[in-house]
Amino acid sequence: MSAGGQVAEVLPGSPAGLVARFQGERTASGPPTVGQANMIRCVLTDPPEHMNYRFVLNVPPGRTLGDVVTAAELLVSRHESLRTTFRDDLQHVAGEGELVIEVHESRGSADLADEVAARLQAVRFDPAGELPVRMAVTVNDGVPEHVVLIVTHTTVDAVGLGLMRAELGRLLLGEVPAPVTAPQPLDVAWAERNPASLKRAQAALTYWRTNLERIPRSTFTASVDDGDNDWLLPRLRVRSTRAARALGRIGTRTGVSRSAAVLAAYTLIAGLRAGQRTAVALAISANRFRPELREYVGPLAQDALVPIDLDEPTFDGVLRRARAATLAAYQNSRFDSDALVQIMEEVQRSRGVFFARDIVFNDMSVPGPGRRTGRIEEDGQDVRSHWLPDATMPTRTSVWVRTLEGEVDFTLWADPRCLPREDAEALGEGIARLLIEAAERDVPISEVSALTGVVPLERGPGWVTVDACWVHLAEVERLVRDAVGERPFRVTFEDGRLVCHLAGPVTPQEIHTACVGKLSGRMAAMTPHHYVVCDGAPASPDGWAALPVLDEGTGR
């Protein structure tokens, strides 16, 4: 394949570019993989900055624009995920086609490539009508300096992105790549439909339903709701070489992996702060357990539901719980995402709670020596942290791990409505400090607050625990008020249940449906467990029990 000299328009207002022509082994259509199906929904709804990956590579000295185009042609030709669109519930692999590569004259600007990458990343991909890849190259007097690649999450997960980045780097050097031996996404999709895979996927859904029916629906429960929240969150970057050494010693003593140990520290401190006996994390699982999928260039990541019981006297006990919980969660992290959404809606109605993404854990580190990048600072500090510019992330808190060997390096995102900056700093640094201390001894849970500076949240009057969840009675009343409009009602807490008396005519099913419809994003609310529909309204709040009852029930 040779470099195209053709010029074409890319996006409105963007410059012309070179044309890379790709030629794959097949043109084909078929069902999407479960990973692709999960990501299509997110690509269409979540902010593009979350769903579009970007990276910038230096062009090796002596390479030409023609070499860049040839590298792009080979990359897209080799990986069907880069030439796949999605229409009519199917994935469609293009056997051949063209990709326009933007060309920008840098005039010596060191920041131009990053600026181009940010602009291309900020535009949402159209999964049905657009190839899931964008490329650009910056040149100085016609000599290529940097290559920019943007791919959407329907194409790769974080591990797949690392594989793609490494391969493009080799192609830019002019290396001849070995044939692709990993399966293509269409092959994975058909394999997911064999009887054994379908059985595992069904077992995963059972695992999710069983846990969703019992776990707290929120960890950082607070009297706020999302409304029009733009999820622009502060970000704290935390780094510690000593914590990385500590992880090795913790693993030797307990058998817990580095990743699970960080997750255990994160959930423990968050749970202690929130007064929860069980903290629930959503860990983004790469799902690359089988050898044939380790070099797979496609999206395998899905949420793994990790409930960790914190009712232990020492941190080693929590570590053991975390190890068992993560193993079970990762084994049940490949599923039909549409079916899971249905299960979550059914559980939401039956429990009367909205499940919140309060603790999200994304370990993007690559284990093994020599895998870390960048300069590791040894300045005598146990833990270093600094605030990054705010960015969007639709979670209460989230930890994104860069490295765990040589240096622990992660970013904590924190919703300031639930975790003000001072508390977020204590949580982020506290994760590293707890790990450092745990390398020396089995830390009692009673000492964690003093060690980290994270103290339990004080909950005032009106807070009760119901069905493993913290609930604020005023928020329940506000939920019901928004659901019933002008209809008189009263909510009480009786024998561990929320009871709603209200004026008819209406059925318990109708009022429960209205309450469930208003649940989304309300962290401290829960629907009543029982509805008593009365004939009229009393003259005083205490008079509901004396009214004739027209109907009553759970509404479930």
Side-chain angles (χ1 to χ4, degrees), residues 328-374:
Y330 294 148
Q331 289 170 357
N332 290 284
S333 60
R334 292 189 73 180
F335 44 79
D336 181 334
S337 55
D338 288 333
L340 179 58
V341 169
Q342 182 177 345
I343 288 172
M344 296 184 80
E345 290 174 350
E346 292 171 357
V347 174
Q348 176 173 292
R349 182 175 181 87
S350 65
R351 289 188 73 188
V353 296
F354 177 79
F355 184 69
R357 294 174 65 86
D358 278 11
I359 299 178
V360 175
F361 184 71
N362 190 8
D363 182 1
M364 299 181 292
S365 66
V366 179
R371 297 300 184 96
R372 57 185 186 269
T373 59

Side-chain angles (χ1 to χ4, degrees), residues 63-259:
R63 310 307 289 174
T64 67
L65 278 175
D67 295 326
V68 172
V69 173
T70 298
E73 290 174 337
L74 286 169
L75 185 72
V76 179
S77 297
R78 286 164 53 82
H79 300 293
E80 292 183 1
S81 62
L82 291 172
R83 42 194 171 88
T84 296
T85 54
F86 302 89
R87 299 182 306 278
D88 303 321
D89 297 324
L90 296 173
Q91 60 169 307
H92 303 276
V93 180
E96 59 183 14
E98 296 178 345
L99 173 69
V100 176
I101 305 174
E102 293 186 9
V103 180
H104 298 265
E105 176 61 49
S106 71
R107 296 181 176 86
S109 170
D111 300 325
L112 180 61
D114 287 333
E115 293 170 1
V116 171
R119 175 177 62 81
L120 294 178
Q121 183 187 31
V123 179
R124 189 183 303 278
F125 276 91
D126 174 12
E130 178 185 6
L131 287 177
V133 56
R134 297 172 185 146
M135 290 191 70
V137 58
T138 62
V139 299
N140 190 1
D141 291 331
V143 178
E145 294 180 314
H146 300 99
V147 168
V148 173
L149 185 71
I150 312 294
V151 292
T152 189
H153 220 325
T154 60
T155 301
V156 290
D157 52 25
V159 177
L161 181 71
L163 296 169
M164 183 185 298
R165 178 175 182 151
E167 181 173 311
L168 180 57
R170 293 192 296 270
L171 290 171
L172 289 171
L173 286 169
E175 296 182 8
V176 178
V180 175
T181 57
Q184 302 284 2
L186 196 56
D187 304 318
V188 172
W190 289 119
E192 288 174 345
R193 281 156 176 77
N194 67 41
S197 294
L198 291 173
K199 184 177 181 180
R200 285 193 297 269
Q202 187 58 48
L205 292 173
T206 300
Y207 168 89
W208 273 79
R209 182 187 289 277
T210 300
N211 281 285
L212 287 172
E213 289 175 342
R214 71 171 185 88
I215 58 178
R217 57 91 164 80
S218 171
T219 298
F220 291 101
T221 308
S223 294
V224 297
D225 59 63
D226 296 337
D228 296 326
N229 186 21
D230 59 7
W231 295 109
L232 189 64
L233 306 184
R235 297 182 296 155
L236 180 73
R237 186 176 182 185
V238 179
R239 304 174 69 181
S240 173
T241 54
R242 190 174 174 190
R245 292 193 292 271
L247 286 173
R249 299 183 66 177
I250 291 170
T252 299
R253 186 179 77 241
T254 66
V256 176
S257 70
R258 290 173 178 263
S259 183

